[in-house]
Amino acid sequence: MAKNILICDDAAFMRMMIKDILTKNGYNVVGEAENGKIAVEKYAELSPDLVLLDITMPEMDGIGALKAIKEKDPNACVIMCSAMGQQAMVIEAIQSGAKDFIVKPFQAERVLEAVKKVIG
């Protein structure tokens, strides 16, 4: 059965790129969000198997969204994405419950490796 994934990134082209990688490899993208606030709402509505969450976004950043999602569902599977390879953000994301971290610009192989590791 295809795994359901929610993609959250403020850049439409990034969402499109990630969606393309995932759908070509048998994953089902059930929703997209352009900021953390919408990601939290869509998570509650769609209950995806995995959330790919950008860190730097307007309204609510990825760390805030991660914490809000984990508060509602401690078993939520979240992979963080960010162009900034800032060590502190990576550490905060992992401590807040992220299962993995992908640094942009990413390779399709890296995205798939992270997704497979987290949800199979």
Side-chain angles (χ1 to χ4, degrees):
M1 192 177 116
K3 299 283 186 179
N4 294 327
I5 300 176
L6 171 64
I7 299 170
C8 182
D9 197 303
D10 57 327
F13 78 95
M14 287 304 300
R15 293 195 308 270
M16 195 175 74
M17 219 167 85
I18 296 167
K19 184 177 184 174
D20 192 49
I21 292 167
L22 295 171
T23 53
K24 280 182 178 165
N25 287 277
Y27 293 99
N28 184 25
V29 175
V30 290
E32 295 182 30
E34 60 273 10
N35 66 51
K37 188 173 176 286
I38 294 170
V40 173
E41 290 164 6
K42 290 216 174 184
Y43 184 85
E45 178 192 323
L46 302 167
S47 298
D49 298 304
L50 174 70
V51 182
L52 284 171
L53 196 54
D54 186 23
I55 285 186
T56 312
M57 291 181 294
E59 243 174 285
M60 180 191 279
D61 69 6
I63 302 281
L66 169 66
K67 288 176 178 171
I69 288 169
K70 291 298 265 185
E71 205 172 278
K72 286 183 164 87
D73 179 5
N75 299 316
C77 291
V78 180
I79 296 175
M80 304 303 288
C81 308
S82 181
M84 298 171 290
Q86 293 174 332
Q87 207 57 39
M89 282 188 153
V90 176
I91 292 165
E92 188 178 355
I94 300 297
Q95 285 173 340
S96 298
K99 303 276 189 210
D100 205 344
F101 196 96
I102 304 168
V103 178
K104 298 176 194 170
F106 42 70
Q107 303 297 316
E109 298 77 44
R110 175 67 188 110
V111 174
L112 293 169
E113 174 195 318
V115 170
K116 281 185 184 123
K117 189 175 93 180
V118 175
I119 60 169

